[in-house]
Amino acid sequence: MLDLISHPAEHVVAMKASGVVTAQELQPAIDAIEGAKQAHSRVSMVVEIDGLRWMTLTALLKDVGYGLTQLGDLEHYHRAAVVTDQQWIKHLAHLEERLFKAVEIRTFSRREHAEAMAWAAELPKGDHEEPEEDGYHGA
């Protein structure tokens, strides 16, 4: 199952995956990412993975296909926080970080959930929508 979860920062798309993920469940996450990319110059993600067993073949193909379409669009992504205690997921996230250097990917244990949410919300200096958030306080 894949469900979107709330995050206080509008540029962050957060979701939770567990059990078996289907292609039908994957589509709202893709739509949320695309919506965030249209509304914000940089998008971050939080993916909580708890007891994930597998993705259906159609979900896997959809996920890989969408991922491939994003290769030319990586400048829109900032961070991806992966929250899990599953070691194989942590290894996969570290591999993705090496492959996609434009995106910061960091793993967090389940007990570090709040830290992961805060880390994903941080934007690089100069990317805040309000100038005051980047330290500008007028002339």
Side-chain angles (χ1 to χ4, degrees):
M1 173 163 281
L2 181 70
D3 292 312
L4 292 172
I5 57 175
S6 65
H7 192 287
E10 292 181 8
H11 72 280
V12 177
V13 177
M15 60 196 87
K16 183 173 185 170
S18 62
V20 178
V21 175
T22 68
Q24 185 177 5
E25 294 166 343
L26 194 58
Q27 192 58 53
I30 292 171
D31 294 342
I33 293 167
E34 288 301 310
K37 282 172 46 185
Q38 292 205 359
H40 305 281
S41 62
R42 299 291 290 258
V43 175
S44 291
M45 291 177 284
V46 175
V47 183
E48 296 179 31
I49 302 173
D50 183 26
L52 180 67
R53 289 185 298 175
W54 67 78
M55 297 174 83
T56 64
L57 180 58
T58 53
L60 181 61
L61 292 173
K62 182 176 217 128
D63 186 43
V64 170
Y66 178 68
L68 290 174
T69 68
Q70 299 307 293
L71 290 177
D73 222 9
L74 291 177
E75 72 276 0
H76 287 288
Y77 295 95
H78 178 51
R79 289 182 168 171
V82 179
V83 181
T84 188
D85 287 333
Q86 294 181 265
Q87 289 302 316
W88 71 273
I89 299 289
K90 289 181 179 186
H91 292 303
L92 185 61
H94 292 299
L95 176 63
E96 286 181 339
E97 183 179 31
R98 289 186 193 127
L99 292 174
F100 306 110
K101 295 201 182 285
V103 181
E104 283 185 77
I105 301 172
R106 185 171 161 195
T107 60
F108 296 84
S109 69
R110 290 181 61 211
R111 71 179 184 282
E112 298 172 312
H113 179 268
E115 183 182 341
M117 296 289 268
W119 181 79
E122 294 173 5
L123 283 170
K125 193 162 181 71
D127 277 353
H128 292 92
E129 293 179 16
E130 298 295 326
E132 294 81 17
E133 293 179 42
D134 279 322
Y136 177 77
H137 298 288

